[in-house]
């Protein structure tokens, strides 16, 4: 018989140790192993739930492991355990209010946000370690002030993480990548990437990444890689096929990979047909093919006569009337792209709105807040605003100036800070998206009043 799940409102001091484990375990991925033949893989279970038709131990999860495998409490201090339990109680109260306490598969944005907070407790004493390449081979953490040695050790030796390394001269590690798999989502998170300073600029980092891509793609069925990178690491990841344009459905990565402050989420979509370890050979072949094509064109070069009357006229000349222009394949569109023609204010607002909606930190602001899920929201917030509403106003030419547009965007951030407490995931998203918004305004070089209006 499955063990009964404790009520949501049962006081913490009245809970038995077993009941505490149940409350924490339902929100924490399993740390057990699954054996397939001679291969041991990490269990893909994302949280304890009672086993159906259970004839074994009462605390068995559907994945076959006991509740003690969910939460890894043996590695937690008493303070960390208490913090996890308090968040687990909040999750239960939230589920109870939605009549979902015994629905172990139910999740929404609020639940996922609390789960991430629970899982992150104990991983590090700081909430803003960022991933980047190492630049020191004697003490790798010395140049990464946000990554103390203890934190690095926990990342590398975490039982849910795997590592790939390059060993030189039989014993000296010169670089490595630590990653975590989410097989059901066809996703892997790059947790850590390191290259010794004495071995940098030799291609070891790219070789590691290409090796990892081939291994995960061909042997593990992984299609997507994701990571959080700080400014120092973004260049490396971009060079290796990562982009800040996140196309993977949010439900497949949000709540799975760890969120980092002061870092940018990046994604790499792997191509099945590409053998990444042969990438240099493939690119060399393509480069050679292009050179051959250019040489063929050079042999067929034809010299056209110029316009003789152009010196004696002030009238504009249609470029398409110039001999050789049309034959070259040139079009006015190419000229516009080359000159970077300045966009209209409306087009800029359309572009910025689209860019904001695509930003990974915009997910709480893309649509109106659901009053059924957050009953008191509209009692507190009298001037609600979201990106879908702004998009509609842009499409219907409701904004007379960029200032009016910027004012509405800032209302979103203002409302968020009014309703949510500092330090919550929603306020962090607002701060990150606001910084991105300011950067986009600067990029488009549009005049906006310096005052940040609030309602």
């Amino acid at each position: 018989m499955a063990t009964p799940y404790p009520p949501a409102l049962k006081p913490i001091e009245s809970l038995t140790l077993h009941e505490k484990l149940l409350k924490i375990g339902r929100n924490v991925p399993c740390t057990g192993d699954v054996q397939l033949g001679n291969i041991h893989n990490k269990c893909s279970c994302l949280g304890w739930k009672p086993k159906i038709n259970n004839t074994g131990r009462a605390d068995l999860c559907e994945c076959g492991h006991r509740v003690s495998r969910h939460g890894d409490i043996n590695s937690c201090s008493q303070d960390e355990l208490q913090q996890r339990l308090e968040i687990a109680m909040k999750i239960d109260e939230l589920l109870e209010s939605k009549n979902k306490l015994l629905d172990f598969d139910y999740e929404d944005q609020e639940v996922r946000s609390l789960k991430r907070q629970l899982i992150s407790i104990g991983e590090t004493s700081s909430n803003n370690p960022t991933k980047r390449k190492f630049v020191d081979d004697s003490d790798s953490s010395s140049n990464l002030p946000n990554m103390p040695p203890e934190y690095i050790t926990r990342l590398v030796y975490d039982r849910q993480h795997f590592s790939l390394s390059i060993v030189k001269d039989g014993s000296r590690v010169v670089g490595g990548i630590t990653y975590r798999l989410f097989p059901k989502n066809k996703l892997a998170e790059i947790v850590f990437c390191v290259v010794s300073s004495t071995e940098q600029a030799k291609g070891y980092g790219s070789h590691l990444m290409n090796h990892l891509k081939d291994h995960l793609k061909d042997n593990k069925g992984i299609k997507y890689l994701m990571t959080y990178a700080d400014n120092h690491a973004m260049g490396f990841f971009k060079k290796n096929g990562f982009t800040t344009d996140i196309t993977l459905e949010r439900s497949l990565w949000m709540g799975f990979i760890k969120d980092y402050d002061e870092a940018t989420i990046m994604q790499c979509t792997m191509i099945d047909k590409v053998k990444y370890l042969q990438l240099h050979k493939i690119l060399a072949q393509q480069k050679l093919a292009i050179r051959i094509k250019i040489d063929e064109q050079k042999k067929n070069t034809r010299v056209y006569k110029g316009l003789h009357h152009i010196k004696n006229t002030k009238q504009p000349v249609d470029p398409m009337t110039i001999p050789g222009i049309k034959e070259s394949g040139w079009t006015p569109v190419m000229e516009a792209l080359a000159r970077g023609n300045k966009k209209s204010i409306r087009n800029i607002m359309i572009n910025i709105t689209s860019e904001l909606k695509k930003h990974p930190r915009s997910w709480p602001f893309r649509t109106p807040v659901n009053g059924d899920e957050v009953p008191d929201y509209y009692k507190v917030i009298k001037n609600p605003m979201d990106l879908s509403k702004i998009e509609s106003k842009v499409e219907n030419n409701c904004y007379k100036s960029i200032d009016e547009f910027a004012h509405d965007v800032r209302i979103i951030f203002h409302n968020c800070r009014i309703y949510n407490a500092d330090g919550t995931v929603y306020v962090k998203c607002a701060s990150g998206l606001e910084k991105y918004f300011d950067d986009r305004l600067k990029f488009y070089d549009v005049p906006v009043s310096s005052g940040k209006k609030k309602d």
Side-chain angles (χ1 to χ4, degrees), residues 109-366:
Q109 289 183 4
E110 291 176 284
V111 172
R112 278 194 290 270
S113 174
L114 288 169
K115 278 188 177 183
R116 289 199 304 273
Q117 293 179 41
L118 189 153
I119 294 170
S120 68
I121 291 174
E123 291 189 358
T124 176
S125 57
S126 170
N127 191 39
N128 63 348
T130 52
K131 287 182 261 245
R132 54 186 280 192
K133 290 202 299 177
F134 278 148
V135 290
D136 189 292
D137 59 345
S138 58
D139 178 8
S140 295
S141 63
S142 62
N143 286 306
L144 299 177
N146 289 327
M147 298 191 81
E150 296 81 6
Y151 178 74
I152 296 169
T153 302
R154 294 188 71 150
L155 283 180
V156 174
Y157 291 103
D158 189 304
R159 284 180 290 180
Q160 298 184 67
H161 295 167
F162 301 87
S163 293
L164 179 71
S165 61
I166 292 180
V167 179
K168 204 171 182 180
D169 302 326
S171 60
R172 185 164 60 91
V173 177
V174 299
I177 293 179
T178 297
Y179 60 95
R180 181 176 178 181
L181 297 176
F182 300 97
K184 289 184 178 180
N185 302 356
K186 297 184 178 181
L187 170 67
E189 176 190 10
I190 305 296
V191 178
F192 198 55
C193 182
V194 51
V195 174
S196 169
S197 63
T198 59
E199 304 292 347
Q200 286 187 5
K202 297 180 181 179
Y204 286 128
S206 294
H207 182 72
L208 267 171
M209 190 65 71
N210 289 334
H211 205 299
L212 178 65
K213 288 177 181 178
D214 281 345
H215 170 66
L216 296 180
K217 175 173 60 72
D218 298 336
N219 301 313
K220 300 295 182 179
I222 301 298
K223 185 175 180 180
Y224 305 98
L225 298 177
M226 296 191 80
T227 191
Y228 272 92
D230 67 9
N231 292 334
H232 298 274
M234 286 185 69
F236 169 77
F237 284 109
K238 284 182 178 179
K239 179 182 175 183
N240 285 279
F242 286 75
T243 175
T244 56
D245 185 11
I246 308 302
T247 59
L248 185 61
E249 186 179 339
R250 185 167 57 84
S251 62
L252 296 178
W253 61 268
M254 179 65 72
F256 291 93
I257 71 174
K258 182 170 172 55
D259 188 18
Y260 288 83
D261 292 341
E262 300 178 10
T264 302
I265 190 168
M266 303 186 76
Q267 172 190 320
C268 174
T269 303
M270 293 182 283
I271 303 172
D272 289 337
K273 295 181 180 180
V274 173
K275 294 295 182 184
Y276 287 93
L277 282 172
Q278 299 179 20
L279 198 57
H280 289 293
K281 182 179 179 181
I282 294 170
L283 293 176
Q285 290 173 340
Q286 291 178 339
K287 188 175 181 179
L288 178 61
I290 291 172
R291 284 183 172 175
I292 291 173
K293 195 69 177 176
I294 291 173
D295 289 341
E296 289 176 355
Q297 291 291 331
K298 286 181 178 179
K299 292 177 181 178
N300 298 324
T301 298
R302 177 183 172 187
V303 178
Y304 293 86
K305 293 182 178 180
L307 298 179
H308 299 289
H309 65 280
I310 195 170
K311 292 182 180 180
N312 303 319
T313 180
K314 295 183 180 180
Q315 296 297 321
V317 177
D318 181 359
M320 301 305 289
T321 64
I322 301 174
I325 295 292
K326 185 176 181 180
E327 291 80 359
S328 71
W330 179 91
T331 66
V333 174
M334 298 167 95
E335 177 74 6
L337 291 173
R339 290 180 177 273
N341 284 3
K342 211 163 185 179
K343 299 178 180 294
S344 70
I345 293 298
R346 183 175 181 273
N347 284 339
I348 289 173
M349 290 189 289
I350 290 173
N351 288 348
I352 291 179
T353 305
S354 175
E355 291 163 354
L356 289 175
K357 290 183 70 175
K358 290 179 181 179
H359 194 277
R361 296 209 171 206
S362 70
W363 60 267
F365 316 117
R366 291 171 187 163

